[in-house]
Amino acid sequence: MSNVSDAELRALRVHDEVENSQWLRLRKRILIRGILVVVMIVIRAVLMKAYPQDYMNTIFNAAGLASDEVASLISARLILGAVLSAVYLYALMTNRFLRTVSIIALIVPVAIIWADLQIFLLSSFPAFTVVAAIGFALRLIALYLLARNYIDIRR
């Protein structure tokens, strides 16, 4: 028999962000949303690879970026996304530092969208193609799913 109360055990396990009873209920839903976000990012990357003229001409050339600058920008963002996805998956699987990682996973895409907002809406909005609109919509949906995960974790 243990003389340690539940409150004392929770205090000792500060790295566990969500209580076990709540975590067992939320884990599958949060994991599915996280996987959907990764799938949407992969779809966007495939769209950019399959239809480079739509992204290069419509979005990035309107902002005055050269093609080598665009390639390095895309590579850097994909690497950042891969690292963030790995950290997010680790936090989901272990229930460690989940609140911190979920807020970071929400802030980074918001910052990237905010940085691109001028390019998307002001520079190239009249010349938007269907593929570019789909890519932008996928980003917004991914952001919504990450926000839902954060809200569920914070409850």
Side-chain angles (χ1 to χ4, degrees):
M1 254 174 75
S2 175
N3 292 332
V4 180
S5 70
D6 287 339
E8 291 169 331
L9 282 175
R10 279 194 307 268
L12 291 172
R13 300 186 68 183
V14 293
H15 60 273
D16 286 352
E17 297 286 336
V18 182
E19 291 182 16
N20 283 336
S21 61
Q22 184 183 10
W23 177 240
L24 293 175
R25 187 175 47 88
L26 290 176
R27 183 177 180 183
K28 184 177 179 181
R29 184 180 338 157
I30 291 171
L31 189 58
I32 289 171
R33 284 187 199 141
I35 290 171
L36 284 174
V37 168
V38 170
V39 166
M40 283 189 261
I41 291 170
V42 169
I43 290 172
R44 277 196 76 242
V46 168
L47 283 174
M48 290 179 82
K49 186 71 172 167
Y51 300 101
Q53 69 278 4
D54 288 339
Y55 282 94
M56 296 297 245
N57 296 333
T58 304
I59 298 168
F60 296 112
N61 287 344
L65 296 175
S67 61
D68 59 336
E69 293 172 332
V70 172
S72 65
L73 176 68
I74 291 169
S75 297
R77 287 182 177 184
L78 285 175
I79 290 170
L80 176 65
V83 169
L84 187 59
S85 296
V87 170
Y88 195 68
L89 182 62
Y90 171 78
L92 283 175
M93 299 312 270
T94 61
N95 190 18
R96 290 180 167 210
F97 308 107
L98 192 56
R99 290 182 182 176
T100 305
V101 170
S102 67
I103 192 69
I104 291 170
L106 186 57
I107 289 173
V108 170
V110 167
I112 290 173
I113 286 177
W114 186 257
D116 289 346
L117 196 59
Q118 179 182 4
I119 294 171
F120 276 135
L121 299 179
L122 300 179
S123 300
S124 62
F125 186 69
F128 245 35
T129 62
V130 173
V131 175
I134 290 170
F136 190 68
L138 286 174
R139 290 174 78 175
L140 293 178
I141 293 168
L143 189 64
Y144 170 76
L145 291 173
L146 288 170
R148 291 297 311 159
N149 277 356
Y150 174 72
I151 290 168
D152 282 348
I153 290 168
R154 292 301 293 180
R155 284 186 193 171

